[in-house]
Amino acid sequence: MRYTDFRTILTEAKVGREYQHLEDLVFAEGSAGAMRAADVLEKLGSDSGDVAIKWDGNPTIYWGREPDGQFVMVGKNGWGKNKSTSADDLSRFIQNSGKGVDEEPWRKDFGTEMAEVFNVLQGATPPSFRGYVYGDLLYSPRKPFKSAEGAVQFTPNKVTYTVKNESELGGRIAKSKVGVVVHTKFDEWGSKTGAPISDVKELNNDSAVVLGQTYVTHQPKVDTSSVKAIRQLTSKVAPVIDKFIAGVPGLSNPAEIIYRYVNNTSKAKNLDNLENGFFDWLAQSKVSKGQQAKLAAMNEEMPKALPSIFGLVKQVMAAKDDIIDQLDSADADVKATTAGERGGEGYVALGDKIKLVPRTRWQPN
């Protein structure tokens, strides 16, 4: 099989999610992905205009108006299934979900909280609005923002956000009851294909702060030598990594297994040892013994493939983390801290559909 054939196979493989971690492009798309990662890094050094804060809100909610104008709101588990058309209906649904209030008493307070959010968002959503939006709750009457020195603060999940009082956003928050960050709009109830939404002005009033994308205002600098090194290594090892990721009969998507390994290593906070632990992890994983044997045979045939893949992943990650550090330390109206340390969940390069997440210090729930 020719090198160009491997490139064709890689374009058909599906790994990860719609928004990829920048470093995951190396094994999700092979050498072309590594080069694309270098392109993204280079672009970030001259134009960060489409880079937005990755808000760490919780829980996820969907709300909007039906074709007849009826307001509805549900949690993540109700989307496409249960239509709550009143605050009481939503509260009852939450309290009766799962094991119910008797075995999960927290559901009573949670149902009351969501009923309050329902009423606020219903009042903020214009009668003329049609369709549905989904977003993450930032603060609410049950978990409100707090006053800090010259700022307001809220901690919806792991990250604490501090917003200057003197900023336009800080002034709006100080008068409000509910804050939500919105990601997507859907035309149909239960749809899985929505469109990113940026203009959310019509969904706001004094009680509800509904945010669309919140863009960074700092222009980071990129170490051009690190980008050059990524390109040079990619050019050198492109054939072998593309051949490895293309797979063999009975193992059509090695990239998906590598994806699971990298995620596992990130959660274990062991990324420094990424290039050394693959086969130890593999032996304890749920990957079938047959596929494990094929990976071992491929590694024996192409001993430079995995070290090259993981080496590129770490190079891209290091360059990306430098950019994140610059954005985290820049003077801005919104500051994020996690467990008392500077920085939050990271950022999103919207145009490239890339996540800039500091995986050395951030792990999802």
Side-chain angles (χ1 to χ4, degrees):
M1 186 179 289
R2 302 186 310 274
Y3 171 50
T4 51
D5 293 330
F6 297 131
R7 296 280 294 271
T8 301
I9 291 172
L10 292 177
T11 64
E12 299 171 354
K14 298 295 182 183
V15 180
R17 300 180 179 181
E18 181 182 9
Y19 279 73
Q20 299 276 22
H21 289 283
L22 181 63
E23 59 275 12
D24 287 1
L25 294 178
V26 174
F27 50 82
E29 301 176 9
S31 62
M35 287 297 192
R36 186 157 83 92
D39 291 342
V40 172
L41 288 167
E42 206 162 56
K43 176 186 172 185
L44 289 172
S46 59
D47 181 10
S48 61
D50 72 341
V51 177
I53 294 172
K54 196 173 190 300
W55 292 96
D56 179 38
N58 185 55
T60 295
I61 56 176
Y62 294 77
W63 79 96
R65 292 193 182 274
E66 301 268 73
D68 64 359
Q70 173 68 56
F71 181 82
V72 296
M73 177 181 146
V74 296
K76 189 174 183 179
N77 65 335
W79 178 239
K81 301 173 185 176
N82 175 74
K83 287 185 181 180
S84 295
T85 58
S86 72
D88 288 342
D89 183 31
L90 179 59
S91 181
R92 282 194 299 271
F93 175 76
I94 291 170
Q95 293 183 49
N96 293 325
S97 297
K99 298 179 180 179
V101 174
D102 290 341
E103 293 190 47
E104 297 175 327
W106 57 267
R107 287 188 175 278
K108 183 175 182 180
D109 286 344
F110 184 46
T112 300
E113 175 190 18
M114 288 297 102
E116 292 180 288
V117 173
F118 184 105
N119 287 329
V120 170
L121 293 181
Q122 182 179 29
T125 305
S128 59
F129 185 84
R130 293 295 182 270
Y132 316 88
V133 294
Y134 116 82
D136 298 311
L137 198 62
L138 298 176
Y139 57 87
S140 66
R142 180 168 169 254
K143 199 173 183 181
F145 62 81
K146 300 176 181 178
S147 295
E149 187 176 346
V152 291
Q153 283 186 338
F154 47 93
T155 309
N157 195 24
K158 290 184 177 182
V159 179
T160 295
Y161 297 97
T162 302
V163 186
K164 295 178 181 177
N165 282 335
E166 63 189 34
S167 68
E168 185 267 343
L169 178 57
R172 289 171 56 204
I173 290 173
K175 297 185 296 183
S176 69
K177 295 179 180 178
V178 169
V180 192
V181 57
V182 170
H183 310 296
T184 307
K185 182 178 180 182
F186 302 92
D187 292 329
E188 297 180 1
W189 172 258
S191 174
K192 295 182 179 180
T193 56
I197 182 170
S198 55
D199 186 358
V200 293
K201 291 180 182 177
E202 64 177 327
L203 299 176
N204 283 263
N205 65 9
D206 285 347
S207 296
V209 171
V210 179
L211 303 175
Q213 302 296 346
T214 308
Y215 294 93
V216 303
T217 55
H218 178 72
Q219 178 58 59
K221 296 180 180 179
V222 173
D223 181 355
T224 55
S225 64
S226 67
V227 177
K228 184 179 179 181
I230 291 167
R231 293 192 191 282
Q232 288 177 336
L233 178 56
T234 301
S235 296
K236 182 179 179 181
V237 300
V240 69
I241 65 173
D242 286 349
K243 183 179 179 182
F244 190 95
I245 291 172
V248 295
L251 180 60
S252 62
N253 197 0
E256 192 276 332
I257 296 173
I258 296 173
Y259 173 79
R260 279 190 272 160
Y261 167 65
V262 173
N263 273 351
N264 180 274
T265 306
S266 174
K267 290 177 182 179
K269 300 183 179 181
N270 197 28
L271 285 168
D272 287 343
N273 195 41
L274 183 66
E275 61 269 65
N276 299 317
F278 179 71
F279 284 100
D280 288 339
W281 168 84
L282 188 65
Q284 303 299 319
S285 73
K286 294 181 180 180
V287 177
S288 71
K289 296 301 181 183
Q291 290 192 331
Q292 289 187 35
K294 289 180 184 296
L295 282 164
M298 289 166 62
N299 184 60
E300 186 172 343
E301 178 190 349
M302 297 171 277
K304 293 183 179 180
L306 284 172
S308 298
I309 291 169
F310 295 135
L312 279 167
V313 166
K314 292 181 74 170
Q315 284 189 28
V316 173
M317 196 181 302
K320 176 206 67 177
D321 286 348
D322 181 58
I323 291 172
I324 293 172
D325 287 342
Q326 292 179 57
L327 294 174
D328 285 346
S329 60
D331 187 31
D333 291 340
V334 181
K335 291 279 191 178
T337 57
T338 306
E341 299 293 328
R342 184 187 70 203
E345 189 178 353
Y347 305 87
V348 181
L350 295 166
D352 295 298
K353 291 190 174 183
I354 292 296
K355 293 187 290 189
L356 305 171
V357 176
R359 294 167 88 171
T360 52
R361 62 172 168 80
W362 175 269
Q363 287 78 39
N365 291 330

